[in-house]
Amino acid sequence: MKKSLILSTVLASSVFAMSDAELLQSAKDAGLMPLPTTQKAIEAELSKSGVKANVYSKEKAELGKKLYFDPRLSKSSLISCNTCHNLGLGGVDGIPASTGHKWTPNPHHVNAPSVYNAILNTAQFWDGRASDLVDQAKGPLTAEPEMASTPELIESRLKSIPQYVKEFNKIYKDGISFDNAADAIATFERTLITPSRFDKFLNGDLNALSKEEKAGLGVFIDKGCIACHTGAILGGTMQAFEVAGKYEFANVGDFKGDANGMVRTPTLRNVEYTAPYFHNGAIWTLNDAIKAMGSVQLGINISDSEAKSIITFLKSLTGQMPQIIYPILPPSTDETPRPVLDY
């Protein structure tokens, strides 16, 4: 992070006098890069960070899509992955803290991050406790305030459904297992990449962004936002929090980061879709979020006009969402364990 801050200081004096080509080079020098758009490119990008991606196949991704939308993986048979990571709402649920089994609010009051482009996070969860999407997928499935299931219940439900048995046996040598279900879900999530006009700009199309968006990019670099929001998804790495000041809403929930106080930086891709913001969803507008980041992380005041310019740039990060056709899920059978509602 210090390296990025130094770089932003060096760039600050000249960024507004730059030509489009010079702005592009400055963005690249700051570590901004286009999204990888093929599975091979995704794996190559992950390998740079020491993250090993699970094995991809189209068949596995299709199975994972069904599991992603299937509420029968939850104890109640009411909650699916899509409940909190709604693909029609930018991959989030649009509330400060997610609500799970028995209408239970998240006990730590943490906000559900977007699942779009999540494969490119170098750490998963706000505290980075999972290194990859397979491990991450297991958490919500078994967390009591979320889907409240167990590996045994998930395996039992899947094994009771002949179509799932057939599909798992075709893809996995050992057929249905909790680990394989998480692997399939993560494989589907690998496909949720959202390239935008900003990627065209980074790939050399200087006309892909408007004059106003380019100006916003300049402010974004000048102010030092690239210290943490860099890389292909403009985030996704573990960073120190409250570097320069105190977060006004730090007392909302008990989340304090990992053992070292580090917090996973959220991606800025599709950020106009993902309010409310911050780890506890306490800030609802991009304007307020940008100003808070200025004081909390950078120790600077960001004016209304500067925030507006940055927002204009950030909206260029809204990408093309992959078309997801809601799957027709295979029917339950007489052997399928019944929903456990815990009324």
Side-chain angles (χ1 to χ4, degrees), residues 52-63:
K52 184 178 180 180
N54 64 327
V55 177
Y56 176 83
S57 74
K58 290 183 179 180
E59 293 77 13
K60 195 196 294 185
E62 281 299 309
L63 171 60

Side-chain angles (χ1 to χ4, degrees), residues 38-234:
T38 68
Q39 292 302 321
K40 185 175 181 180
I42 288 171
E43 291 175 4
E45 184 61 34
L46 289 177
S47 67
K48 296 177 184 177
S49 304
V51 179
K52 184 178 180 180
N54 64 327
V55 177
Y56 176 83
S57 74
K58 290 183 179 180
E59 293 77 13
K60 195 196 294 185
E62 281 299 309
L63 171 60
K65 180 171 73 171
K66 291 177 183 176
L67 299 177
Y68 186 91
F69 285 99
D70 199 329
R72 290 171 295 186
L73 298 188
S74 69
K75 186 176 183 180
S76 65
S77 291
L78 287 171
I79 302 170
S80 71
C81 301
N82 193 62
T83 301
C84 296
H85 300 284
N86 192 315
L87 298 185
L89 291 173
V92 300
D93 53 17
I95 58 178
S98 296
T99 299
H101 186 65
K102 294 176 62 176
W103 212 243
T104 303
N106 185 285
H108 305 292
H109 206 282
V110 292
N111 180 256
S114 177
V115 72
Y116 282 114
N117 306 300
I119 181 64
L120 295 170
N121 290 324
T122 60
Q124 305 293 337
F125 293 111
W126 284 104
D127 62 2
R129 65 184 182 274
S131 61
D132 57 50
L133 278 181
V134 178
D135 193 21
Q136 186 279 331
K138 297 176 183 179
L141 288 169
T142 57
E144 188 64 28
E146 297 184 62
M147 296 173 75
S149 197
T150 65
E152 294 76 19
L153 178 59
I154 289 171
E155 290 175 2
S156 180
R157 285 200 175 136
L158 293 175
K159 288 178 180 178
S160 74
I161 300 172
Q163 185 174 329
Y164 275 142
V165 173
K166 181 179 179 180
E167 290 187 47
F168 271 89
N169 286 340
K170 181 179 179 180
I171 296 168
Y172 298 99
K173 291 182 179 180
D174 53 347
I176 290 173
S177 72
F178 176 64
D179 287 347
N180 289 344
D183 178 71
I185 291 171
T187 304
F188 166 62
E189 291 175 337
R190 284 183 57 159
T191 69
L192 302 177
I193 301 297
T194 63
S196 73
R197 289 183 294 106
F198 181 58
D199 296 289
K200 292 182 179 180
F201 178 76
L202 290 176
N203 282 318
D205 182 355
L206 299 180
N207 296 316
L209 299 183
S210 69
K211 179 181 178 180
E212 293 75 17
E213 288 166 340
K214 292 170 189 173
L217 171 58
V219 178
F220 183 83
I221 295 172
D222 175 44
K223 292 300 177 182
C225 304
I226 45 83
C228 297
H229 293 286
T230 189
I233 61 171
L234 292 85

Side-chain angles (χ1 to χ4, degrees), residues 283-328:
I283 294 181
W284 280 91
T285 71
L286 276 174
N287 181 75
D288 290 345
I290 290 167
K291 288 190 168 186
M293 289 304 292
S295 61
V296 171
Q297 293 296 89
L298 300 170
I300 61 174
N301 176 65
I302 296 178
S303 69
D304 286 337
S305 61
E306 290 168 336
K308 182 178 179 180
S309 184
I310 291 173
I311 290 170
T312 299
F313 160 63
L314 292 180
K315 289 185 177 182
S316 76
L317 299 175
T318 298
Q320 182 178 354
M321 309 292 182
Q323 183 179 21
I324 306 297
I325 298 175
Y326 197 102
I328 302 302

